[in-house]
Amino acid sequence: MINVANANSYPVVDTGQTTFYDNDGVISQPEDGDDFFGQDASYISNGPSYTDNQDGTITDDVTGLMWQQGLIGKLSYAQVLQEVGSFDLAGYSDWRVASIKELYSLIQFTGRVKGQKAITPFIDTKYFDQPLGDTGEGEREIDAQVWSSTEYVGKTMNKDETVFGVNFVDGRIKGYPKYHPRTNEPNKMYFRYVRGNTGYGVNKLGDNGDGTVSDSATGLTWQKSDSGEGMNWKEALRYAENLTLGGHSDWRLPDAKELQSIVDYTRSPETSDSASIDPVFQTSTITNEGGDTDYPYYWTSTTHLDGPVPENGAVYVAFGRALGKMRGSVMDVHGAGAQRSDPKAGEATSRGPQGDMIRVDNYIRVVRGRSR
């Protein structure tokens, strides 16, 4: 396993995952050429590292971002945008509401959840406060989402204005409606303020002219196109490890945080008639479960520990609509740019309170290099 230090304006923090998994359990470390080689724990870079400043702030030693240790109590999106300008902590007044890319830098896939039951948070609680949902008030334990400043440019549930947030209790990015669908009252969620490194989350992409795209902000180089077809997780790992492209053979399946780093949250199928990715990339089109032209979900190398057999799911990022089936209709329930998980193998179906579409055979966009 390789550890590399930081040297870029947008260093991608490692997921923290060091355990190896197959489709349904923990395994010993696979060797190059073995099934399941190339998963998240095979490659480590920018391991999470924090400094407690003993003043209510935490500095991320990898990203250079300074964070509020606690959370801003539940506010509406409009309220927090008003209040952040007067917020003062530890002698600093230049705090801002974290973007979805800034917020996601804190996620760690050492967490575990079992449906609506919290087990281990997906954030380092040695440094950061992370409450659970108030079951005494009818909430689920996982109802402790943290909103970002990033609004979804499209609509979810066909009509809802939506803001992306990270759920550090269940390990996902989803879009959450600004307003309650029945009462039209503003929804309220937690927020965490950040300051410093205003360039964090800004990509600097260049087409290398050889089927690859480099991001000088992260230090990562990407496959310009994609796999052109879906496959299960084991097949995706093998595809990445066996690919030769642009004169290089050290390609791999990106981890969850690496893949999320190239989401372009200014784009969506609804508003730009494209995937949520910079147009320097080439993205396959698909016909989705509702019969519409859409864009794929993409596998990552990261296992997502959830459910009765926690090892059987892996993280994907939706570069097209994050679909569910509700009231008999297929719709975008979480927004293009959401991060969820699918079974590593099995059959396509739908599940969960929003009827999340389970595809299993997801697409691949490989990466090489290490974020520094």
Side-chain angles (χ1 to χ4, degrees):
M1 293 183 284
I2 310 160
N3 283 280
V4 190
N6 165 31
N8 295 99
S9 61
Y10 181 11
V12 180
V13 185
D14 195 79
T15 67
Q17 198 161 95
T18 58
T19 303
F20 294 89
Y21 306 97
D22 60 14
N23 285 348
D24 52 19
V26 174
I27 59 173
S28 58
Q29 181 174 347
E31 300 298 326
D32 192 356
D34 291 345
D35 285 345
F36 302 104
F37 179 79
Q39 63 181 277
D40 195 332
S42 299
Y43 302 97
I44 295 177
S45 174
N46 293 340
S49 176
Y50 304 106
T51 298
D52 186 339
N53 299 313
Q54 302 297 319
D55 57 5
T57 71
I58 303 294
T59 297
D60 187 322
D61 302 324
V62 176
T63 66
L65 296 168
M66 180 181 286
W67 291 93
Q68 177 190 14
Q69 185 170 25
L71 286 166
I72 298 297
K74 291 187 175 183
L75 296 175
S76 72
Y77 186 72
Q79 284 176 318
V80 79
L81 294 183
Q82 285 184 329
E83 296 192 10
V84 67
S86 59
F87 184 75
D88 189 284
L89 176 64
Y92 300 103
S93 57
D94 58 343
W95 296 93
R96 62 185 182 269
V97 181
S99 72
I100 192 62
K101 289 191 174 183
E102 290 170 330
L103 196 58
Y104 197 64
S105 73
L106 297 178
I107 201 166
Q108 295 188 17
F109 283 93
T110 51
R112 181 181 171 187
V113 66
K114 187 176 182 180
Q116 300 178 11
K117 176 71 175 174
I119 298 177
T120 304
F122 289 75
I123 192 170
D124 191 338
T125 53
K126 177 182 176 183
Y127 293 96
F128 297 99
D129 298 341
Q130 179 56 59
L132 301 180
D134 187 350
T135 57
E137 294 295 322
E139 294 181 335
R140 305 167 299 173
E141 288 187 346
I142 61 173
D143 288 331
Q145 300 92 338
V146 182
W147 250 344
S148 74
S149 64
T150 305
E151 297 181 75
Y152 183 35
V153 293
K155 297 284 195 298
T156 60
M157 312 297 180
N158 293 328
K159 60 180 176 54
D160 290 342
E161 295 181 45
T162 298
V163 179
F164 283 107
V166 179
N167 191 328
F168 291 100
V169 183
D170 76 0
R172 292 174 170 89
I173 294 175
K174 293 182 180 180
Y176 301 98
K178 282 187 182 179
Y179 304 99
H180 193 283
R182 290 187 292 276
T183 67
N184 208 35
E185 291 294 314
N187 283 324
K188 296 183 178 182
M189 292 197 185
Y190 292 108
F191 291 87
R192 195 183 302 274
Y193 294 157
V194 69
R195 61 176 300 276
N197 194 359
T198 55
Y200 195 83
V202 179
N203 302 101
K204 299 176 183 178
L205 301 168
D207 189 334
N208 298 317
D210 60 359
T212 73
V213 174
S214 290
D215 186 349
S216 63
T218 63
L220 297 170
T221 298
W222 293 91
Q223 182 183 16
K224 181 174 180 175
S225 61
D226 57 33
S227 56
E229 61 179 338
M231 57 193 79
N232 67 34
W233 191 65
K234 182 171 75 170
E235 293 167 339
L237 291 167
R238 185 182 302 118
Y239 169 90
E241 291 294 325
N242 290 341
L243 185 68
T244 297
L245 176 67
H248 298 281
S249 58
D250 57 343
W251 297 96
R252 55 188 173 80
L253 196 62
D255 71 33
K257 297 168 84 168
E258 290 171 329
L259 187 58
Q260 191 264 351
S261 79
I262 56 169
V263 176
D264 184 343
Y265 287 97
T266 69
R267 303 175 67 84
S268 77
E270 181 182 341
T271 58
S272 58
D273 195 27
S274 72
S276 55
I277 194 169
D278 190 283
V280 71
F281 292 101
Q282 296 170 347
T283 303
S284 295
T285 57
I286 62 170
T287 300
N288 70 24
E289 292 84 349
D292 298 319
T293 299
D294 207 343
Y295 305 93
Y297 303 159
Y298 286 79
W299 278 126
T300 77
S301 63
T302 306
T303 293
H304 184 246
L305 298 173
D306 184 10
V309 184
E311 302 86 0
N312 75 357
V315 171
Y316 70 79
V317 175
F319 283 83
R321 299 171 181 88
L323 293 179
K325 188 173 185 178
M326 299 188 67
R327 299 178 293 277
S329 297
V330 175
M331 63 185 75
D332 187 356
V333 294
H334 299 306
Q339 173 259 297
R340 305 188 295 187
S341 60
D342 261 0
K344 295 173 179 176
E347 301 296 326
T349 183
S350 66
R351 69 180 182 194
Q354 283 96 22
D356 290 3
M357 288 298 175
I358 306 301
R359 292 181 180 161
V360 180
D361 288 343
N362 295 319
Y363 283 58
I364 299 95
R365 192 184 303 278
V366 299
V367 70
R368 63 178 296 268
R370 303 305 299 159
S371 180
R372 304 183 179 191

